[in-house]
Structure formats: C-alpha cells, structure tokens
Amino acid sequence: MLALLAAGSVFFPGLFLMSKQALKHMMGWREGDAATVSARLVSSVQAVMASSAGCVIASSCRDVIEDKHWLTNAYILFATPYFAYDIYAMFLCYWHKLQVKGHEEGGVRSMSAAVAGYLRREPLMVLHHVFMVAFCFPASLLWRQGKGDYFQGVLFLAELSTPSVCLGKVLIQYKKQHTLLHKVNGVLMLLTFFSCRVLLFPYLYYAYSRYASIPVYEVPLVAPWQCNLGAALLWPLQLYWFTLICRGALRLSAGRPSSTPPTFQTDGCMNWSDSCSQRQTDKR
C-alpha cells in the first residue's frame, strides 16, 4: 500500500518536472508555457492510465458485485496522489498566467494573494480534488469492503474525456481554435464528456438495478450511503461543467466573444474564457 502511494507521489510530479525541463531546453519555451503544457500532459497521461485500468477491470468482472481484480485497489493507491499534485499544478498554471501581460487580476503579485485569488477563481475544482482524496479514496479502498470492482472500473472510465479537453486548451493557447483539428477535437470532447461523465452515474444505478432485479428508482434505497452521497455530490458537477462546455463551444463556433464567458476546467486543463481573453489582450 505505502509503496504504491509513494510511487504515485513520485511519478506524477516527476513526470511534470521532466516534461517541463525538456520543453524548456529542447523547445526553448518559457517557464510558464512549459509548465502549463506539462501539466496538461500529466493530466492526459493519468487519464489514459485510468481509462485503460477501467477497461481491464470492467471487462474482467462478470459479477458486478462479487468479482475482484487486483488492478482496482492498486490503481486507486497509485492515482490518489495525482489529485493532490494536480491542485498544485493548477495553481502553478494560474500563477504563471498572472505574470503574462494582459492577464493580471487586480495587480496580484504576492504568492499569498495569488493563492487567495486562485481559490476564489476555482473553488469547485479545488473542492472536487479535495473530495476525491478525502472521501473517494477511503470509500473506494476501505468502505466498499472489496466489493463492486466492476463499478470502480467504470468510474475510472470517466477520465476518457480528459485528453481531448487538454488538447483543446493547448490549441486555444496557441491560437489554433479555428482549425479543423480543434473542431474535430471539440466534437470528440463533447461526446466523451457526455457519455463518460454525464451518463456515468445513471448507468451505475441502472447496472445495479439489473444485477439486483429491481427498478432503477429503488436502487438509492438499497445502495450504500457512500455511493448515494458520492453520486449526489459529483453528478451535479458533471452536469454543470457539461453545460459550460456546450455554452463555450457555441460561443466559439459562432465567433461571439463575451465579456464574462463561462469557465470550465478539468484537471487544470480547460478554460473556455482564454480565447476571449486572448482576443481582448490582442486588441490592447
């Protein structure tokens, strides 16, 4: 257990640092650009690993409650440090953004003021990551008592949307939001986010209703309270973020800048307001 936690604690920050240094020395990028792209790269790597683990686990469990797979607990332990690391990575991207001309927010200069501004700007994302460590980690590893590996594997598949979200942010950062690649990636992001995050929790209740041969509306009455609490807190966030994705996509496709565009981020990767902010900066 401790070895896997330690491995995750080293792997994700280590990959970030290695990627940042490689981009700085090989590509000649500035610190801020290298750090921002590296954070998205790490998020994408974690997403691919989680999705792959989810596919292996879900496809290996015939009995959705009793069947077990060794990869379930192993990846939970390995990936949990990622969410703590990503809070710092998101702040680092925010800090570097403050240093870019045209993105200062009220003259924020000190680290303490930047932390306060970051928490005001991204309270939902920070709380989401804290919730993943403080609640989902013990719920997934301890409270379920070794049952429901299938459901845990399906939950890992929620990360399928992250690579396309990160790629979209990189394309916007380098002013490629009007390219065919960005449009295709946007469609892929909408489809994966909707199928792997919005439909995720209804599917979990549906899958258990089939297993227990009961109507779907009765599942919350018999499901463990941890499952109901987790779904009640996480599903509305997915619906909210999906709404922002759709609104942002409509703005970009229609070419209508907004003074207060919606913001969506997942694992520190996507901010739909960047394209509009960049246009305002160019005008200045």
Side-chain angles (χ1 to χ4, degrees):
M1 178 182 293
L2 292 179
L4 287 169
L5 284 171
S9 300
V10 172
F11 177 77
F12 296 110
L15 179 60
F16 171 77
L17 293 174
M18 290 177 58
S19 173
K20 185 179 69 169
Q21 292 302 316
L23 291 174
K24 287 171 60 178
H25 292 292
M26 298 176 62
M27 305 294 293
W29 289 8
R30 295 175 300 178
E31 177 78 17
D33 291 336
T36 302
V37 173
S38 296
R40 291 162 196 146
L41 173 64
V42 175
S43 294
S44 297
V45 169
Q46 194 281 141
V48 171
M49 294 174 66
S51 302
S52 300
C55 287
V56 172
I57 295 167
S59 62
S60 300
C61 296
R62 296 181 178 274
D63 188 307
V64 300
I65 298 297
E66 299 297 335
D67 283 358
K68 296 179 175 59
H69 195 286
W70 66 268
L71 190 55
T72 307
N73 288 348
Y75 194 76
I76 291 171
L77 289 165
F78 179 76
T80 294
Y82 163 80
F83 294 97
Y85 142 82
D86 199 48
I87 293 176
Y88 171 74
M90 289 190 298
F91 169 73
L92 193 61
C93 295
Y94 173 78
W95 171 257
H96 284 300
K97 185 177 179 180
L98 294 181
Q99 314 308 310
V100 178
K101 184 178 180 180
H103 289 81
E104 293 87 351
E105 298 183 3
V108 175
R109 297 296 178 88
S110 69
M111 183 64 71
S112 59
V115 171
Y118 166 67
L119 293 176
R120 287 194 301 269
R121 181 182 176 88
E122 302 294 344
L124 289 179
M125 185 56 63
V126 173
L127 288 175
H128 173 266
H129 280 50
V130 171
F131 181 78
M132 292 296 291
V133 176
F135 178 83
C136 292
F137 171 70
S140 299
L141 195 65
L142 303 175
W143 297 341
R144 66 188 183 90
Q145 298 179 341
K147 297 183 181 295
D149 280 22
Y150 172 82
F151 293 108
Q152 191 64 53
V154 173
L155 285 169
F156 287 157
L157 294 176
E159 295 292 339
L160 270 174
S161 62
T162 299
S164 59
V165 171
C166 292
L167 176 58
K169 180 60 184 74
V170 171
L171 292 173
I172 289 175
Q173 180 179 343
Y174 290 97
K175 302 179 182 180
K176 302 295 184 181
Q177 60 266 40
H178 301 299
T179 62
L180 177 61
L181 176 59
H182 184 267
K183 294 177 181 178
V184 173
N185 182 72
V187 173
L188 180 62
M189 179 177 63
L190 287 170
L191 293 176
T192 54
F193 197 96
F194 179 73
S195 60
C196 298
R197 288 181 179 259
V198 174
L199 295 183
L200 173 67
F201 293 99
Y203 171 76
L204 293 176
Y205 281 81
Y206 168 74
Y208 186 82
S209 73
R210 291 189 60 187
Y211 171 80
S213 299
I214 60 176
V216 175
Y217 63 82
E218 291 185 6
V219 174
L221 302 178
V222 299
W225 67 269
Q226 298 94 334
C227 298
N228 290 326
L229 177 61
L233 293 176
L234 292 176
W235 194 42
L237 278 179
Q238 313 310 317
L239 294 173
Y240 171 70
W241 285 328
F242 183 69
T243 301
L244 295 186
I245 290 178
C246 293
R247 290 170 56 189
L250 289 174
R251 279 192 174 89
L252 290 176
S253 62
R256 293 185 290 108
S258 172
S259 58
T260 56
T263 298
F264 165 73
Q265 290 191 323
T266 190
D267 296 332
C269 291
M270 173 59 76
N271 188 331
W272 280 105
S273 67
D274 280 357
S275 59
C276 297
S277 299
Q278 186 62 50
R279 285 195 291 270
Q280 294 168 355
T281 300
D282 293 342
K283 291 179 182 179
R284 289 198 292 270

